Amino acid sequence: MVPPQFIDSFLKDLPSIAKIIWILATVFFFVLLSLVLFLKVVRFRLRKREAYIKSESEKYEISIVDYLYAYEDNKGLNSDQEKLILNIKHTLTTSINRKVFVNTLLKLKGEVSGNMIDAINQLYKKLGLDQRALSKLKSSKWHIVAIGIRDLRRFKVLEAQNEVAKCINHSKMEVRRQAYLYFINLFGFKGLEFLGNLKSSISIWDRIGILDALQGIKSQETPDAGKWLSSKNDYVVLLALDLVRVYGLRETQEELLQLIQHENSEIRLKTINVLNYLYIIEAKELLIKTYETLTVKEQIAVFELLENMGAKEEEPFVLKHVTSEVFEIKVLALKILKQIDAPKFTGIKDEISKLGNFKVIDFLENTP
């Protein structure tokens, strides 16, 4: 060990800047040493935790498999099953054990089918884990609530629907998303009834997620989306329009026609596109009447609809817009005119070309 007297004499002979550098170097050395020791401790604990998780997971897997085989042989619980449930319950006193057990259950759910899946769901309930998940819904921390709903969904706890319904309008989008998935995964199209009570927003990604979840439902029935087209929540209306398009719900024609005059321009635009997709001819007359009140995007959508289902009677309306200042409308109007009245198109092409639209005319003449 270096004597303190030597250190004092050494520092006295150094300039002030050198003293500061030496002091900082010493401090940084001890900080670095502390960090290295801290990282070693963390690494040791992580390895110990991983080993513990692996060991417990293997034990749980053996117990669950034993339970499942016993469940398959007997309709009711036998003494061996009751003993297994009791032994497992005694180990689920810590959060890490519960997490390991639930993850093991989920892993096995992905490897079995039929009655085995039902048996795993029942085991989850018999161990009281459904009540623990249900209690999380009362937490003040939103991520705990989301985890609780997620677990109730994964293990098909149907009895929790009233409690989950209270989270439909939760302030956090992640919680609402889990609630949506709970109702759809567990109740199919009937689960969409939550839309009637929805007052919060639905993001475009959530709409995609809901539609994706519905695609996984093996059912011949289709959703009754008509009642949601008149919802006061614009986000619900937008989702309902997606449902109408995806499932081809032509029976919602009357509701769709009413939406043409909706105050939300996004809803009007989407409605026009859906009417076009479903080939609802009755929409043409109403769209032409309200054309001047629509936004440019909506007007373009109207001409796209007429391009798809235009007829001779729309010719006067189309002629009014062949010289439109909006390029997309001008092109679509000329294209529709060519479709419904080729001689008329030929007759006015010289006049249109003089207005500087010769490239458009040339393009349309060479387009079948």
Side-chain angles (χ1 to χ4, degrees), residues 179-362:
Y180 304 158
L181 293 176
Y182 170 87
F183 282 106
I184 294 170
N185 288 164
L186 270 58
F187 301 99
F189 292 124
K190 291 181 180 178
L192 289 172
E193 293 300 321
F194 74 82
L195 293 174
N197 300 317
L198 189 66
K199 296 179 177 62
S200 54
S201 63
I202 308 176
S203 70
I204 186 170
W205 297 112
D206 282 336
R207 296 210 304 265
I208 293 172
I210 290 172
L211 292 172
D212 186 58
L214 289 171
Q215 292 295 313
I217 297 174
K218 297 178 181 178
S219 174
Q220 297 298 320
E221 63 177 325
T222 54
D224 179 17
K227 56 188 175 184
W228 300 314
L229 289 173
S230 57
S231 172
K232 294 181 180 179
N233 186 332
D234 290 355
Y235 296 99
V236 172
V237 178
L238 289 169
L239 175 60
L241 286 169
D242 286 331
L243 293 171
V244 169
R245 176 165 183 155
V246 171
Y247 294 96
L249 305 178
R250 289 184 58 86
E251 62 271 19
T252 61
Q253 176 178 316
E254 291 303 317
E255 291 86 352
L256 289 173
L257 293 176
Q258 291 176 13
L259 287 178
I260 291 175
Q261 299 180 16
H262 198 281
E263 60 183 13
N264 187 319
S265 61
E266 185 181 359
I267 289 176
R268 293 197 304 269
L269 177 60
K270 195 160 193 171
T271 299
I272 296 169
N273 290 330
V274 171
L275 289 166
N276 187 10
Y277 180 80
L278 296 178
Y279 207 86
I280 296 179
I281 297 175
E282 291 80 0
K284 293 192 294 181
E285 183 179 353
L286 184 56
L287 286 171
I288 289 173
K289 284 182 180 179
T290 59
Y291 180 82
E292 297 301 329
T293 66
L294 303 177
T295 65
V296 173
K297 284 186 178 180
E298 294 166 60
Q299 291 176 347
I300 294 172
V302 170
F303 272 92
E304 288 173 346
L305 181 144
L306 293 176
E307 181 187 10
N308 185 32
M309 59 181 86
K312 184 71 175 176
E313 53 265 30
E314 284 88 49
E315 184 177 325
F317 173 76
V318 173
L319 280 170
K320 285 171 57 178
H321 296 88
V322 293
T323 57
S324 172
E325 294 180 358
V326 180
F327 179 77
E328 293 89 342
I329 293 176
K330 182 195 312 179
V331 173
L332 285 167
L334 288 168
K335 193 173 182 181
I336 295 167
L337 182 62
K338 182 184 176 184
Q339 291 174 353
I340 62 178
D341 194 340
K344 177 73 72 174
F345 172 79
T346 303
I348 68 168
K349 69 177 183 178
D350 292 335
E351 183 180 345
I352 298 298
S353 296
K354 290 177 183 178
L355 296 175
N357 297 308
F358 54 88
K359 289 185 178 181
V360 175
I361 296 295
D362 182 62

Side-chain angles (χ1 to χ4, degrees), residues 4 44-45 64 134 265 290-291 333 342:
F44 172 76
R45 288 183 176 178
I64 295 168
L134 202 56
S265 61
T290 59
Y291 180 82

Side-chain angles (χ1 to χ4, degrees), residues 122-173:
Q122 288 301 317
L123 177 59
Y124 180 82
K125 294 178 183 178
K126 288 182 183 299
L127 290 167
L129 292 173
D130 59 330
Q131 294 304 312
R132 284 187 176 274
L134 202 56
S135 67
K136 291 179 180 179
L137 272 59
K138 299 178 182 178
S139 174
S140 59
K141 299 177 180 178
W142 68 264
H143 67 281
I144 299 296
V145 179
I147 291 172
I149 299 174
R150 181 200 64 187
D151 289 346
L152 292 169
R153 170 175 59 85
R154 284 174 168 179
F155 293 98
K156 299 188 181 301
V157 184
L158 305 179
E159 301 82 3
Q161 58 179 306
N162 290 334
E163 292 301 317
V164 176
K166 297 176 183 177
C167 300
I168 285 296
N169 293 301
H170 197 278
S171 58
K172 284 291 182 179
M173 181 181 64

